[in-house]
């Protein structure tokens, strides 16, 4: 396997010719310590900046989850049915998915700092609109465009992979992934608390707007003006290259379909949990339902550990371990979710841990393909992730409301088994689209020298060369 570090060095060399930028959009000043200087030392990716990226991911991705624990209150406020109100999280996630496909590829074409600042400004404005509107259809439209602006964590993920040293890339990315999990917990918890004690669904969206503008201020001061990647492609060619990557890279396509299945399970559980806990035998109010988001603390702790583990083992194996844990959790939900509160708590904890574990493994695999196309590669993968979220919030809730909890969680078991079969269809040593390449070892070969990312997955050497040919 070729050493990854020299490849990353090429990316830096391509950025040297770009001049120092003192303003974003020609009028917003860039703090001096955030400016890219081709004559000076490269940006140092500190642990503080890594944690800030994780915190920013928390506070922005929460936009997707604010509505989930207050669906019943939203249905009463707007006078619509439970089935109709489930369109709110579905449209928010659909907006996120649209932005993944159309906006995230831009990070391989334009500087990321102004793009992130623009999305934060839009997210704050649209969240304010959600707080002020009393029309249901306007609320649905604003939910969609808010989702469009909430894609910031998926820009921070590949930026983290670009800035972090190769030997700790998976660990650094896992901190941002931890922020994503914390955002789910933060959004659900704050929505439940504010709606319960203020008696209004508007206050949580006022909070969301204020949070976005606070992150905007922090990003203005802290976000490095990392130069855009040198490319001769225009926007249409970028989108076309994404389509080509999807049909030429077996690892990326495999990760895409695994992301669909695993995220369908994750979102289906957390969306239907509101109806599960509000009905018999639990009959909990919004505040108590929101408190169940605290169960996500387990995955916040587990995500960095999973990142370190994936720096030491084959990420393919890390993905498999996460999927197997998810299957066990889905089976537990199928067997006893409505029979025991203890089972509900266990499923909440381990559904999150399983989701983040497999996601970190998948991202470690795809980020090794080509550093110059990480934005497009991440866009392809996360499009699958949030297509799964749309499926989970839509199909999962419809099955639950129409056929009951056992049918809904039986569907999750089916999704989990499908994801495992997709992973097993192509082992870590395979050279083609399916098979195991005659090698069944799951041990990670030792690096050739210090700092070498050798054998992230043995089959990726060929995939890297093909990815470079595509882009």
């Amino acid at each position: 396997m070729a050493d990854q570090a020299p490849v990353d060095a090429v990316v830096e060399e391509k950025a040297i010719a770009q001049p120092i930028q003192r303003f974003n959009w020609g009028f917003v000043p860039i703090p001096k310590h955030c400016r890219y200087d081709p004559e000076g030392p490269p940006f140092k990716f500190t642990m503080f900046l890594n944690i800030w990226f994780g915190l920013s991911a928390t506070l922005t991705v929460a936009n997707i989850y604010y509505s989930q624990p207050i669906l019943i209150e939203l249905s009463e406020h707007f006078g619509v049915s439970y089935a109709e109100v489930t369109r709110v999280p579905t449209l928010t996630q659909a907006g996120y998915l649209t932005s993944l496909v159309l906006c995230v590829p831009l990070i391989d074409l334009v500087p990321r700092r102004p793009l992130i600042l623009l999305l934060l400004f839009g997210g704050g404005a649209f969240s304010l609109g959600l707080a002020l509107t009393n029309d249901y259809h306007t609320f649905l439209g604003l939910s969609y465009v808010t989702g469009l602006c909430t894609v910031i964590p998926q820009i921070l993920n590949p930026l983290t992979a670009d800035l972090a040293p190769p030997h700790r890339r998976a660990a650094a990315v896992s901190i941002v992934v931890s922020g994503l999990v914390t955002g789910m917990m933060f959004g659900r918890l704050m929505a439940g608390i504010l709606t319960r004690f203020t008696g209004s669904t508007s206050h949580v969206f006022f909070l969301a707007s204020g949070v976005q503008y606070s992150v905007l201020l922090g990003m203005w001061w802290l976000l490095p003006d990392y130069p855009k990647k040198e490319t001769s492609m225009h926007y249409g060619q970028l989108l076309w290259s994404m389509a080509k990557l999807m049909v030429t890279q077996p690892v990326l396509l495999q990760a895409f379909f695994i992301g669909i299945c695993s995220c369908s399970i994750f979102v289906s559980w957390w969306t239907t949990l509101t109806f599960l806990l509000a009905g018999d035998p639990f009959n909990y109010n919004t505040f108590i339902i929101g408190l169940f988001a605290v169960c996500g603390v387990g995955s916040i702790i587990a995500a960095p550990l999973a990142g370190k583990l994936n720096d030491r083992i084959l990420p393919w194996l890390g993905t498999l371990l996460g999927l197997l844990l998810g299957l066990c959790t889905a089976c537990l939900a199928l067997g006893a979710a409505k029979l025991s509160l203890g089972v509900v708590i266990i499923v909440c904890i381990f559904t999150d841990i399983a989701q983040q574990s497999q996601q970190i493994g998948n991202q470690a695999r795809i980020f090794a393909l080509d550093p110059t196309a990480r934005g497009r590669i991440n866009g392809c993968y996360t499009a699958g992730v949030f297509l799964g979220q749309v499926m989970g919030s839509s199909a999962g809730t419809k099955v639950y409301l129409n056929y009951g909890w056992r049918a809904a969680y039986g569907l999750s078991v089916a999704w989990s088994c499908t994801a495992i079969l997709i992973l097993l269809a192509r082992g870590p040593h395979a050279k083609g689209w399916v098979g195991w390449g005659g090698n069944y070892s799951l041990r990670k070969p030792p690096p050739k020298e210090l700092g070498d990312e050798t054998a992230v997955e043995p089959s990726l050497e060929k995939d890297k060369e093909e990815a470079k040919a595509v882009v």
Side-chain angles (χ1 to χ4, degrees):
M1 174 72 67
D3 190 344
Q4 186 76 22
V7 178
D8 288 345
V10 172
V11 178
E12 286 293 330
E13 290 172 6
K14 289 184 178 181
I16 288 177
Q18 299 181 32
I20 299 176
Q21 299 292 327
R22 292 179 170 82
F23 296 90
N24 290 137
W25 310 298
F27 66 93
V28 177
I30 302 172
K32 188 174 181 179
H33 60 275
C34 293
R35 296 172 188 169
Y36 172 74
D37 184 0
E39 303 289 332
F43 290 117
K44 184 178 180 182
F45 189 65
T46 63
M47 180 57 71
F48 176 79
L49 188 59
N50 199 174
I51 293 173
W52 169 246
F53 280 6
L55 178 62
S56 299
T58 294
L59 298 176
T60 52
V61 83
N63 287 341
I64 299 176
Y65 301 102
Y66 285 127
S67 65
Q68 289 185 6
I70 59 172
L71 290 176
I72 294 174
E73 285 74 13
L74 287 173
S75 71
E76 294 172 353
H77 176 74
F78 289 111
V80 296
S81 67
Y82 287 174
E84 174 67 20
V85 82
T86 59
R87 294 175 62 191
V88 173
T90 299
L91 279 172
T92 305
Q93 289 151 7
Y96 201 111
L97 176 61
T98 304
S99 194
L100 285 172
V101 175
L102 300 180
C103 180
V104 169
L106 286 173
I107 69 179
D108 287 336
L109 188 64
V110 302
R112 279 164 277 195
R113 177 185 166 93
L115 179 61
I116 289 174
L117 297 182
L118 180 64
L119 290 172
L120 283 167
F121 180 83
F126 294 132
S127 294
L128 184 60
L130 288 172
L132 296 175
T133 186
N134 287 315
D135 179 74
Y136 178 65
H137 292 95
T138 302
F139 191 89
L140 288 177
L142 288 171
S143 296
Y144 178 80
V145 293
T146 300
L148 286 174
C149 294
T150 309
V151 77
I152 291 164
Q154 304 308 330
I155 301 176
L156 294 176
N157 250 342
L159 179 58
T160 300
D162 283 341
L163 292 172
H167 64 277
R168 60 177 298 265
R169 181 168 293 137
V173 170
S174 72
I175 291 176
V176 182
V177 173
S178 294
L180 290 169
V181 184
T182 311
M184 180 276 293
M185 181 180 72
F186 176 81
R188 292 180 60 86
L189 183 62
M190 295 308 299
I193 292 174
L194 288 176
T195 303
R196 172 64 176 173
F197 291 105
T198 65
S200 171
T201 57
S202 298
H203 291 86
V204 67
F205 299 109
F206 281 121
L207 171 70
S209 181
V211 164
Q212 301 307 297
Y213 287 126
S214 297
V215 176
L216 173 64
L217 181 62
M219 280 294 185
W220 173 82
W221 181 251
L222 294 173
L223 185 63
D225 191 30
Y226 195 76
K228 67 178 182 179
K229 298 179 181 180
E230 185 176 306
T231 177
S232 59
M233 292 187 290
H234 54 69
Y235 182 63
Q237 290 174 320
L238 281 175
L239 295 179
W240 177 243
S241 72
M242 288 178 67
K244 291 175 70 176
L245 284 167
M246 286 295 293
V247 298
T248 59
Q249 297 305 306
V251 170
L252 179 57
L253 190 63
Q254 185 184 47
F256 175 85
F257 284 114
I258 291 172
I260 290 177
C261 295
S262 59
C263 280
S264 295
I265 300 166
F266 175 75
V267 174
S268 176
W269 168 256
W270 282 105
T271 305
T272 60
L273 182 66
T274 300
F275 303 111
L276 177 73
L277 295 176
D280 294 330
F282 305 113
N283 298 307
Y284 291 147
N285 58 41
T286 300
F287 172 64
I288 296 177
I289 294 173
L291 288 178
F292 275 77
V294 177
C295 296
V297 170
S299 59
I300 296 170
I301 298 171
L305 298 177
K308 291 181 180 179
L309 179 64
N310 278 284
D311 279 329
R312 291 169 172 79
I313 67 172
L314 288 177
W316 184 97
L317 179 58
T319 303
L320 177 62
L321 294 175
L323 292 176
L324 289 174
L325 179 60
L327 175 60
C328 294
T329 306
C331 289
L332 185 61
L334 173 62
K338 204 165 187 178
L339 306 179
S340 169
L341 180 60
V343 169
V344 173
I345 294 173
I346 291 172
V347 174
C348 286
I349 294 172
F350 286 100
T351 293
D352 283 6
I353 294 176
Q355 166 63 13
Q356 303 316 314
S357 297
Q358 68 79 24
Q359 183 168 326
I360 290 168
N362 264 335
Q363 288 184 320
R365 301 171 72 214
I366 64 173
F367 282 156
L369 286 172
D370 182 14
T372 64
R374 281 191 181 126
R376 282 162 282 164
I377 289 171
N378 189 61
C380 291
Y381 170 66
T382 48
V385 168
F386 280 89
L387 180 58
Q389 290 219 9
V390 173
M391 284 175 54
S393 62
S394 179
T397 51
K398 284 184 179 178
V399 171
Y400 184 96
L401 293 173
N402 292 330
Y403 303 103
W405 64 280
R406 287 197 187 276
Y409 303 140
L411 179 61
S412 294
V413 171
W415 277 330
S416 186
C417 291
T418 302
I420 293 172
L421 290 175
I422 292 172
L423 184 66
L424 293 177
R426 186 183 191 274
H429 304 277
K431 301 300 183 182
W433 288 90
V434 295
W436 279 67
N439 189 339
Y440 293 90
S441 173
L442 297 180
R443 296 182 61 186
K444 184 176 184 178
K448 296 177 181 177
E449 57 184 72
L450 185 62
D452 187 3
E453 266 192 321
T454 303
V456 168
E457 189 170 307
S459 65
L460 287 183
E461 185 171 9
K462 177 183 176 183
D463 294 335
K464 274 186 179 182
E465 296 303 320
E466 292 179 352
K468 292 175 189 175
V470 169
V471 298

